[in-house]
Amino acid sequence: MNIGEASQASGVSAKMIRYYEQIGLIRPSARTGNNYRVYGEDDVHVLRFIKRARSLGFSLEETERLLALWQDRERESAAVKAVAVEHIADLERRIADMQGMVKTLKHLAHCCGGDGRPDCPILEDLAGHAEPPKASTPSSKNHS
């Protein structure tokens, strides 16, 4: 099948298939005499594997490790579990960080009057309570 058909069968865009091939995540496809890429069912299974791993938030590096483990019939499941557990811990850290961001932004939004006055605790927090720099005017620029 051609790249468009492989894309449709796997759910991975043709652009991403070419990218994965370029970075070495997947092996280069076979080529026809007129240099079109040709994919088989095994290639589609690999692309589906990558798509699923990426949909679970695994990085390209983690996906590459998982792909290598999947293709290694002699591997121990403990190695696979270690990658998953490490990823879970990373996701939990990121979730905690995002929850902290939400809490802070909710507090700042609550403190902001949202009225016609220029005072804004959100901007003050972002600026570290520093005064904004003076806007430069054409007359204040250094003309050398």
Side-chain angles (χ1 to χ4, degrees), residues 72-73 93 95-96:
D72 177 5
R73 301 289 182 213
R93 277 191 296 277
I95 289 168

Side-chain angles (χ1 to χ4, degrees), residues 23-72:
I23 65 170
L25 186 59
I26 60 173
R27 63 180 173 77
S29 64
R31 300 284 183 143
T32 63
N34 54 2
N35 210 27
Y36 287 113
R37 290 174 167 88
V38 179
Y39 298 90
E41 284 302 316
D42 287 345
D43 299 312
V44 170
H45 287 297
V46 168
L47 290 168
R48 286 181 185 146
F49 181 96
I50 292 169
K51 179 179 172 66
R52 179 66 175 145
R54 299 291 288 149
S55 75
L56 290 172
F58 285 102
S59 67
L60 285 172
E61 293 79 18
E62 291 167 325
T63 299
E64 185 174 25
R65 285 197 331 240
L66 289 168
L67 188 57
L69 289 166
W70 180 51
Q71 294 169 335
D72 177 5

Side-chain angles (χ1 to χ4, degrees), residues 5 9 17 24 45 50 52 67 78 80 84 92 95 107 116-117 120 138:
E5 294 164 331
I17 293 172
H45 287 297
I50 292 169
R52 179 66 175 145
L67 188 57
V80 180
E92 288 174 339
I95 289 168
H107 172 73
R117 297 177 324 160
C120 180

Side-chain angles (χ1 to χ4, degrees), residues 112-123:
C112 181
D115 52 24
R117 297 177 324 160
D119 297 335
C120 180
I122 299 168
L123 294 177

Side-chain angles (χ1 to χ4, degrees), residues 13 16 27 39 53 66 74 77 79 99 101 109 114 116 120 129 136:
S13 71
M16 289 307 295
R27 63 180 173 77
Y39 298 90
L66 289 168
E74 302 297 317
S77 64
Q99 287 172 333
M101 288 182 228
C120 180
H129 305 289
S136 62

